[in-house]
Amino acid sequence: MNDKRARALLPIVLAIAGGILLFNLIAFAFGQAPASALRLAFEGTWGTPYGLGQVLFKATPLLFTGLAFEVALRAGLFNIGAEGQLALASLVGALVAAKLPASLPMPIALPIVLASAAAVGALVAFIPAILRARRGVHEIITAIMVNRIVDAILPWTFSTVLGSTSLRTADIAPGAALPRLDRVVPSFAGSAASFAFPLAVVIVFAAMSALDRTRPGREIRWVGLRPEACRAEGIDVERRMLLAMLLSGALAALAVSSTALGYKGYYELGLGAGAGWSGIAVAMLGRGKAIGIVLAAIFLGTLEQAGLAVNARVPKEAMDVLEATLIVLVAVASRVASRTTGVVQSADPEPEPPCDKPAPTPASEEARS
Amino acid sequence: MSSIFSLTMLAESIRIAVPYACAAIGGVWAERAGVIQIGLEGILLTGAFTAVAVTHATHSPTLGLVAAIGAGITLSLGHGQLTERARVHAVISGIALNLLALAATRMGLRALYDSASNSPGIEAFRFGPTGATGGAMLLRVLADPVFFCALAAVAATPFVLRNTRFGLRVRAAGENPVAAASVGISVTRVRLAALAVSGAICALGGAHLAYDQQRFESGMSAGRGFIALAAVVVSGWRAGRAALACLVFGVLEALQIVLQDEVRKTAIGDLIQTLPYVATLLVLALAPRRAGAPEGLGKHAAP
């Protein structure tokens, strides 16, 4: 058991070590003594309670988007549309929250806002989902198209529908706001970490356990592994794919809790942008486990906050370079680890029937390993 | 209405179609060899950035073009190494490639020009007559060396794939890698060679994009790599038809630019910008269920 766990952790450790090395190289290229940039990054994150609070704040949306990518991946689908799903859901969620009466108590207001955001997220995901399920169109192309359409809808909504020039919504009702964490942990004072973080952690664990333990959750996974076998078994493959994708969009949308509800108190254009992309890295580093997703989100949250800490000396974009590289590193490292330890990857012995998508079928497993 | 049927319109359509067509031809090369390539977007972006950075430094658009092609080949081969040798899932590698290109070009903008959004202007190729008439514009578009390279790539690809030994091997690697390996073809090497061609042609499109704007803008590829991928799918992985689809796309987008001023005044306003993406979704939704995909797409010769 211990040996198995060590083997599962090895790729992560290797990837992170490689990432730190790369960060040093980038810092060096920008004329920094490597260790000093690293120290700066550490001091700005885990070095102070404020920095730690900021790390949790940055990690919160990534918990939702990481979980969202993972849910779709279970069904063998790549939901790279979280960016658009979250953006439109944030706008609608904030608009709903702003319309609610100020006297509405939190136990009623918050679920209303979260549900409307989730519904919009699922609706945005519905386009690639239905095209994939019914027409066999690969979800990656369609999700990017939808992202770009949302990119145009947002400023249009502000300027034409709402007639506002400030590109932000009105302030949300107090009942829809999530309080800051410094209410209970005073030393986080000043940081933007809110109760969205514990909420996100609970949702990650609940959703992952539901995926493993409920019938629909397990069917989603089987569909990702062997769609043909599922079809023979009478499982409605298309329906399960649709469910996974809609769930994924809804979960990505919940990230609004940490941005508009827990931080700004309104939605403005660009709030939460980038979380959708980082969620992919979170899911890849998370290795399909709830605790993995939580740790990966905290790690990438650390990277984001560290990027701000070193920005004066090394551009914060370096952290995005690092993030993309980490996706590759962890994928390569786990491949190498599984080869050298003699774990045979599930290769498909039978020739597959011409299936209606460019990705090879057991995408869910292969992508991770 | 006369502005819609004019030489200006034709010139605009061709100019707009070039990056799409280059990316689509790049996609055909990669996927006919059996490698899923969703990283075209990243290669376009990197090609554009490299072309601008080198042109800015050397004042030679030719050197910029060569460097862009080099960068495209490097990225494409990197994707190939990951998918074919390290056996990383091609979609994951492609996503990482796109994210890496976006982040690295942003970092490059900060490092070289201390800007978060765009590079300073550059002097790109300038051939053909000056003037604002439709004929002059068309001649300028056609006399562009990057356009010429792109045209050559579009014209040569179907021929090379169909009639040469290399093209046959590429198709064999893409249709049935196991069978190809069994007759002594090194599938990995053939695929890497095809990916090098793919990266070079795709980066050409990036350079065209940048020279057209005479500068680099962060994220300037704006989904073109994915639209090109849609063109590949709709064309049934055939180079000529994919390029034609891209030209139709160029016409649509040119039309959008012509109509933009009129539409801006209506309630639709800036939503007109979504036209290329909506059109792509519609085409994908209405096109017959995909046919012509290489059978061995994403499969390997040996487990």
Side-chain angles (χ1 to χ4, degrees):
Chain A
M1 188 62 199
N2 264 339
D3 191 36
K4 202 173 162 191
R5 198 165 278 178
R7 205 183 293 157
L9 273 178
L10 189 66
I12 310 286
V13 174
L14 284 178
I16 290 175
I20 290 175
L21 187 70
L22 180 68
F23 175 71
N24 279 328
L25 283 176
I26 295 176
F28 188 66
F30 279 95
Q32 298 297 316
S36 84
L38 206 59
R39 190 176 332 117
L40 206 61
F42 180 79
E43 281 165 3
T45 53
W46 292 78
T48 62
Y50 165 76
L52 187 59
Q54 283 298 96
V55 166
L56 298 186
F57 163 61
K58 299 275 181 192
T60 312
L62 308 187
L63 284 165
F64 289 110
T65 53
L67 176 65
F69 192 78
E70 170 67 28
V71 169
L73 193 61
R74 291 265 168 132
L77 301 172
F78 298 91
N79 178 19
I80 61 175
E83 200 68 19
Q85 289 146 16
L86 172 57
L88 199 60
S90 299
L91 172 67
V92 175
L95 286 177
V96 169
K99 284 270 183 272
L100 291 177
S103 57
L104 209 61
M106 192 164 136
I108 303 172
L110 194 60
I112 292 179
V113 174
L114 290 181
S116 49
V120 172
L123 194 70
V124 176
F126 179 74
I127 300 171
I130 192 76
L131 284 174
R132 173 61 200 271
R134 289 285 144 76
R135 306 287 309 161
V137 182
H138 202 293
E139 70 278 4
I140 286 182
I141 304 176
T142 49
I144 294 282
M145 296 302 117
V146 173
N147 276 355
R148 307 229 48 118
I149 292 172
V150 171
D151 275 349
I153 289 180
L154 290 180
W156 173 80
T157 312
F158 279 117
S159 62
T160 310
V161 181
L162 301 174
S164 97
T165 48
S166 56
L167 297 182
R168 54 158 283 190
T169 65
D171 286 335
I172 61 174
L178 277 156
R180 298 279 169 94
L181 270 184
D182 57 18
R183 293 261 187 93
V184 284
V185 189
S187 54
F188 281 166
S191 88
S194 68
F195 274 90
F197 179 75
L199 176 73
V201 173
V202 168
I203 290 180
V204 166
F205 275 94
M208 292 302 282
S209 126
L211 278 177
D212 287 336
R213 288 183 197 167
T214 66
R215 180 91 199 170
R218 294 225 300 276
E219 281 185 3
I220 284 177
R221 171 146 205 195
W222 298 337
V223 161
L225 287 171
R226 287 280 185 275
E228 294 309 316
C230 287
R231 206 163 275 138
E233 193 58 31
I235 295 173
D236 190 340
V237 173
E238 279 69 34
R239 225 188 145 98
R240 288 289 169 243
M241 281 184 166
L242 211 60
L243 174 68
M245 202 68 175
L246 296 187
L247 215 54
S248 177
L251 287 168
L254 291 183
V256 68
S257 59
S258 67
T259 54
L261 308 187
Y263 168 44
K264 285 277 186 185
Y266 56 85
Y267 174 74
E268 63 182 349
L269 203 62
L271 185 65
W277 299 120
S278 301
I280 300 173
V282 169
M284 296 315 292
L285 284 168
R287 325 284 313 147
K289 299 271 189 301
I291 183 72
I293 289 176
V294 172
L295 292 178
I298 291 176
F299 178 63
L300 289 182
T302 307
L303 279 191
E304 269 186 36
Q305 180 61 22
L308 296 179
V310 300
N311 194 27
R313 302 207 212 162
V314 181
K316 63 178 189 299
E317 287 82 358
M319 293 305 173
D320 297 330
V321 172
L322 216 56
E323 199 176 288
T325 316
L326 272 174
I327 297 178
V328 170
L329 283 178
V330 74
V332 172
S334 60
R335 270 290 178 188
V336 173
S338 68
R339 273 190 187 177
T340 49
T341 49
V343 178
V344 181
Q345 289 299 316
S346 64
D348 229 342
E350 298 161 86
E352 298 216 15
C355 63
D356 47 12
K357 54 164 183 159
T361 318
S364 56
E365 283 304 281
E366 216 183 292
R368 223 192 307 280
S369 53
Chain B
M1 280 316 266
S2 68
S3 62
I4 293 178
F5 302 99
S6 64
L7 286 177
T8 314
M9 185 70 191
L10 183 63
E12 285 285 85
S13 305
I14 295 175
R15 177 182 67 82
I16 292 168
V18 172
Y20 289 108
C22 287
I25 299 294
V28 167
W29 272 99
E31 302 218 328
R32 283 300 280 275
V35 184
I36 299 167
Q37 173 57 305
I38 63 160
L40 298 169
E41 177 84 2
I43 296 177
L44 275 178
L45 199 57
T46 311
F49 180 80
T50 314
V52 167
V54 172
T55 306
H56 185 76
T58 63
H59 301 289
S60 159
T62 313
L63 278 182
L65 184 61
V66 172
I69 291 174
I73 293 175
T74 310
L75 274 185
S76 197
L77 283 179
H79 177 65
Q81 291 290 344
L82 286 175
T83 58
E84 299 310 304
R85 290 205 207 277
R87 297 291 171 88
V88 172
H89 193 288
V91 171
I92 296 301
S93 169
I95 291 174
L97 199 167
N98 287 333
L99 292 179
L100 185 64
L102 189 63
T105 52
R106 279 209 182 123
M107 191 169 82
L109 275 180
R110 282 278 305 269
L112 293 178
Y113 312 116
D114 198 25
S115 158
S117 57
N118 58 269
S119 76
I122 52 156
E123 289 273 314
F125 293 114
R126 260 192 304 187
F127 295 101
T130 52
T133 63
M137 277 181 76
L138 186 60
L139 279 176
R140 272 205 301 279
V141 168
L142 298 183
D144 179 12
V146 186
F147 168 74
F148 201 75
C149 295
L151 191 66
V154 171
T157 296
F159 177 81
V160 173
L161 281 178
R162 195 178 310 131
N163 296 324
T164 66
R165 181 193 288 260
F166 175 57
L168 180 67
R169 289 186 170 174
V170 167
R171 284 187 291 133
E175 289 299 330
N176 195 335
V178 179
S182 73
V183 294
I185 295 174
S186 167
V187 172
T188 304
R189 276 163 89 176
V190 169
R191 285 182 167 176
L192 287 177
L195 276 172
V197 177
S198 160
I201 297 175
C202 188
L204 210 58
H208 187 277
L209 201 60
Y211 287 170
D212 190 36
Q213 302 286 318
Q214 308 226 333
R215 65 174 191 175
F216 177 82
E217 291 155 23
S218 175
M220 74 188 300
S221 49
R224 285 181 177 81
F226 291 97
I227 293 178
L229 213 52
V232 173
V233 173
V234 170
S235 72
W237 283 260
R238 276 164 295 196
R241 292 180 191 199
L244 203 63
C246 291
L247 189 61
V248 173
F249 220 83
V251 174
L252 262 182
E253 213 175 306
L255 205 63
Q256 175 222 312
I257 294 171
V258 171
L259 298 178
Q260 207 162 36
D261 293 332
E262 288 302 308
V263 178
R264 276 253 162 81
K265 293 170 202 143
T266 70
I268 299 174
D270 286 337
L271 276 192
I272 187 76
Q273 290 167 4
T274 63
L275 195 67
Y277 313 116
V278 175
T280 307
L281 280 179
L282 282 178
V283 168
L284 285 171
L286 300 175
R289 254 178 120 88
R290 31 171 268 146
E295 290 281 323
L297 193 56
K299 291 180 185 148
H300 297 291

